[in-house]
Amino acid sequence: MDQKLEIIKQNVVECTKCDLCKTRTNSVPGKGNFHSDVIFVGEAPGKNEDEKGEPFIGIAGKKLSIVLEEAGISREEVYITNIVKCRPPKNRVPTATERETCQDYLKQEISIIKPKIICILGNTAFNSLLGGSEIIKFRGKLVRKDNQLYFLTVHPAATIYNQELIKVLRDDIVKLFELITELKNNKDIQIDIDYTS
Ligand code: URA
Ligand code: SF4
């Protein structure tokens, strides 16, 4: 692993900056390939992640692995992380304060990995990173903000009991990797929403 990422990981493991440290079993640093073209950003660790200290290893994580595999991508090729790195009690949505307190870790992950695209999984990441809401209306779209590209899709947990949404996630992930291929080939790609002034 990259040395700087290793330091972030260690800082996350030891972090006591917000109250979530009091109820967690383990912090959950990001995990994956630091040469990845894409960083996937979820909300927060759940029960399984809290127990093992690894992101997206429960049912939602399985859904993510399946759609990645269907698109011909293995989890080891990409980097996966969350807005907050410790589990909120009863899986409640992390508060604005918790998200703000934790945000430097994600910023550091992004600045080291320098992904071509950040893939936002669900409303919490959408709101935290782009101030957005109602991701279902914007999913499948490519956004540019401050020279960084973001791709929007639904949270894998939302697909667990919803067959329509699994199709949405599957189609979006295929599109995401098509966009990455086009970027690598220096093709012009269509930006759907541009916040660049
Ligand atoms: N849901 C998330 O948002 N992140 C995880 O790591 C697991 C479930
Ligand atoms: Fe630190 Fe983030 Fe965990 Fe809060 S959620 S204790 S800021 S790592």
Side-chain angles (χ1 to χ4, degrees):
M1 200 195 229
D2 175 79
Q3 223 178 356
K4 288 191 210 140
L5 271 181
E6 197 53 55
I7 293 168
I8 298 173
K9 187 175 166 185
Q10 206 46 46
N11 290 340
V12 167
V13 165
E14 292 165 9
C15 182
T16 53
K17 284 200 290 183
C18 85
D19 279 351
L20 293 182
C21 74
K22 297 180 186 160
T23 47
R24 74 178 178 221
T25 315
N26 292 294
S27 325
V28 180
K31 186 162 189 250
N33 174 10
F34 68 92
H35 294 303
S36 179
D37 294 318
V38 55
I39 296 184
F40 288 91
V41 186
E43 176 178 290
K47 188 171 185 291
N48 294 285
E49 292 78 18
D50 175 72
E51 280 167 8
K52 294 262 168 63
E54 284 187 31
F56 280 98
I57 54 164
I59 307 176
K62 284 223 177 71
K63 294 280 175 194
L64 181 59
S65 297
I66 290 169
V67 291
L68 282 172
E69 262 167 46
E70 285 172 349
I73 311 292
S74 80
R75 271 182 69 138
E76 287 66 39
E77 288 175 61
V78 299
Y79 189 87
I80 300 175
T81 192
N82 282 300
I83 291 292
V84 300
K85 316 300 195 204
C86 301
R87 183 193 184 198
K90 297 187 184 152
N91 296 347
R92 64 161 171 74
V93 176
T95 64
T97 307
E98 288 157 359
R99 293 191 252 157
E100 228 173 273
T101 312
C102 206
Q103 69 181 354
D104 274 357
Y105 296 124
L106 179 58
K107 283 189 182 157
Q108 290 164 18
E109 290 171 297
I110 294 167
S111 80
I112 292 166
I113 295 168
K114 298 187 179 62
K116 288 190 173 26
I117 300 183
I118 294 172
C119 182
I120 288 181
L121 300 170
N123 272 314
T124 299
F126 186 27
N127 185 257
S128 305
L129 295 175
L130 296 172
S133 59
E134 295 189 273
I135 196 144
I136 195 69
K137 290 191 186 159
F138 296 97
R139 46 97 353 205
K141 293 200 186 304
L142 187 67
V143 177
R144 181 163 60 195
K145 190 187 180 199
D146 299 334
N147 249 347
Q148 174 69 57
L149 293 176
Y150 298 83
F151 183 78
L152 306 176
T153 192
V154 296
H155 194 289
T159 71
I160 295 171
Y161 300 109
N162 188 326
Q163 286 307 305
E164 288 296 308
L165 284 187
I166 191 74
K167 191 177 173 317
V168 164
L169 182 63
R170 184 187 293 138
D171 291 349
D172 284 353
I173 296 296
V174 168
K175 181 175 176 190
L176 167 66
F177 285 95
E178 283 171 0
L179 287 168
I180 289 172
T181 304
E182 288 175 12
L183 282 170
K184 281 179 160 172
N185 293 331
N186 292 319
K187 292 237 175 79
D188 275 340
I189 56 168
Q190 187 198 323
I191 312 280
D192 300 304
I193 305 170
D194 198 342
Y195 289 116
T196 309
S197 44

